[in-house]
Amino acid sequence: MTSSATSSITPAQTPWAAVLCLSVLTFVLIASEFLPVSLLSPIAAEYGITEGQAGLSITISGVFAILTSLLGNTLLSHVDRRTVVLGYTAILVVAGMMTALAPDYSVFLVGRALIGVTIGGFWSVSTSVLARIATPHDLPRAMAMLQGGTALAAVLAAPLGSYLGGLFGWRIAFFAVVPVGLLGLFWQFLVLPPIAAERSVKLLDIAALFRDRIVAVGMIATALTFMGQFALATYIRPYLQEAVGLEVNAISLVLLGLGVGGFIGTLIAGPIVRDHLVPTMIGLPLVLAVFAAVLIAVVDMPLWVGGLFFVWGVFTTPIPIVWGTWMTRVIPASLEAGGAAQVALIQLAIGSSAWVGGSLYDTKGWHSVYIFTIGLFALAAITSFWARPKG
């Protein structure tokens, strides 16, 4: 399995306009996924529910992302991948309109579920699509460009959503992504080339990948790395506010720095990952473990904390690029099955790490979350070593 070659024809040159339009889609995806984080209070107030109940809107999108990542490629295995991407983008636009115009909370949750469908569906085919349209030399750079939309959304989504929500109401904040989604859909229609479906993908194909030791260990390493990242990331604001003692404006500045660092990380990651995949697989979690340890030590030094979170952003955004590139080298002929497994594991990792991290934070304090993160990254580095591609 690890030596299989992809059956697709290698393109003569990379259609960068197509890659860029997919980056617009990732921007809308991530912005739509995390908009509720900064708008839970007004949503809860309008629908007459608690903020905890409003938080279900985030959970439900994750659940449907997992289901679609596992089932979408199976159900649509014979459909041209260009059509699939266009379809997922259209669903995202409809979901955006549903959440913005929802007359009651049940309709709002249906819209959030549809956002989850797009999240799981698109990310499960994204690596395969890029591998089909980009040259092997350009593939890591194309992945970095795709993640650039994610990084930009991480910078803008929460503060822009909070600003628009406060100025015009939360519905306008949700509707703001709809025109961008429509623009992306039209752009995809113009520049995305036909990408014929190559082979049927069944659930058994996904399960069969784990018979290969390198694939199985690599998927575990992927999950551990994302768990480490989101165990800490989910509780950055409470750490900054309660442990470091920063005011709201200072917290916003630190979070902006983190997002800017993440955007820089996507700009520089492509060539580094392409030429030094194994060192980055192992080195990233080790470096991030050290950062987590230092953040414990410098909790009384706000300037150091701000600088460290900027660097944290630089080092965390290449994580999807690293593991997407790893997958193209380990299972180049099974990227859709691999993408389905990887997206499902990442969604489970994010959800479980946030839950465990929350339990630790509530019962043991913020130190325990950071120690938990250090342990996860250490295990990720060890498993990454054993997941090295052959050759």
Side-chain angles (χ1 to χ4, degrees):
M1 185 181 298
T2 57
S3 61
S4 301
T6 183
S7 58
S8 62
I9 299 173
T10 302
Q13 60 183 15
T14 300
W16 291 111
V19 178
L20 189 58
C21 80
L22 294 178
S23 183
V24 172
L25 172 57
T26 66
F27 172 84
V28 178
L29 263 180
I30 300 304
S32 299
E33 183 177 9
F34 292 109
L35 264 178
V37 172
S38 60
L39 297 167
L40 285 182
S41 296
I43 292 171
E46 175 157 343
Y47 288 128
I49 57 177
T50 67
E51 291 190 3
Q53 290 171 323
L56 180 62
S57 63
I58 300 172
T59 303
I60 197 168
S61 61
V63 170
F64 274 82
I66 293 172
L67 292 174
T68 309
S69 68
L70 293 174
L71 300 176
N73 291 348
T74 299
L75 297 174
L76 302 173
S77 59
H78 299 294
V79 180
D80 184 286
R81 279 15 219 161
R82 176 181 184 271
T83 303
V84 170
V85 172
L86 287 169
Y88 283 134
T89 308
I91 291 172
L92 181 60
V93 171
V94 171
M97 290 189 288
M98 285 187 68
T99 54
L101 303 174
D104 55 53
Y105 191 52
S106 60
V107 176
F108 183 85
L109 287 180
V110 172
R112 294 296 301 171
L114 290 177
I115 288 172
V117 168
T118 304
I119 292 167
F122 172 73
W123 284 119
S124 66
V125 300
S126 61
T127 301
S128 172
V129 166
L130 287 180
R132 298 279 300 282
I133 66 176
T135 66
H137 181 269
D138 288 336
L139 183 54
R141 182 185 170 196
M143 289 183 178
M145 183 178 289
L146 189 73
Q147 292 299 328
T150 300
L152 189 60
V155 175
L156 297 177
L160 188 59
S162 180
Y163 174 75
L164 291 175
L167 200 61
F168 302 109
W170 68 266
R171 292 182 184 275
I172 296 298
F174 273 84
F175 192 80
V177 300
V178 173
V180 184
L182 285 170
L183 173 65
L185 180 62
F186 180 68
W187 195 4
Q188 290 169 21
F189 183 80
L190 293 179
V191 303
L192 199 61
I195 310 168
E198 288 190 311
R199 53 176 294 184
S200 175
V201 178
K202 302 180 177 63
L203 288 175
L204 288 176
D205 296 327
I206 299 172
L209 294 175
F210 290 85
R211 296 174 186 167
D212 186 293
R213 180 188 63 82
I214 290 178
V215 174
V217 175
M219 291 294 183
I220 293 171
T222 304
L224 287 169
T225 305
F226 275 90
M227 284 184 72
Q229 177 184 353
F230 283 91
L232 189 147
T234 304
Y235 299 97
I236 288 177
R237 184 173 184 129
Y239 164 81
L240 293 174
Q241 186 169 336
E242 298 172 17
V244 184
L246 297 183
E247 299 295 332
V248 173
N249 288 340
I251 291 172
S252 298
L253 190 61
V254 172
L255 295 178
L256 178 63
L258 188 154
V260 171
F263 189 71
I264 292 172
T266 63
L267 296 179
I268 64 177
I272 296 173
V273 173
R274 181 190 64 216
D275 299 333
H276 307 285
L277 176 60
V278 172
T280 52
M281 284 170 53
I282 302 168
L284 276 181
L286 285 176
V287 170
L288 292 170
V290 172
F291 278 142
V294 175
L295 282 167
I296 296 175
V298 300
V299 67
D300 296 323
M301 305 167 67
L303 289 178
W304 275 88
V305 170
L308 283 168
F309 273 119
F310 171 81
V311 180
W312 174 273
V314 174
F315 278 87
T316 51
T317 50
I319 289 173
I321 303 167
V322 167
W323 289 106
T325 302
W326 167 84
M327 197 164 61
T328 65
R329 298 187 185 179
V330 173
I331 47 172
S334 303
L335 291 178
E336 290 199 3
Q342 194 176 69
V343 170
L345 282 171
I346 289 170
Q347 290 292 327
L348 285 171
I350 292 172
S352 61
S353 64
W355 178 73
V356 174
S359 299
L360 288 172
Y361 193 94
D362 290 339
T363 58
K364 304 292 184 182
W366 68 268
H367 290 88
S368 62
V369 177
Y370 282 64
I371 293 170
F372 176 56
T373 296
I374 293 168
L376 289 170
F377 279 135
L379 290 173
I382 294 170
T383 49
S384 295
F385 176 81
W386 293 107
R388 307 185 311 278
K390 294 179 180 177

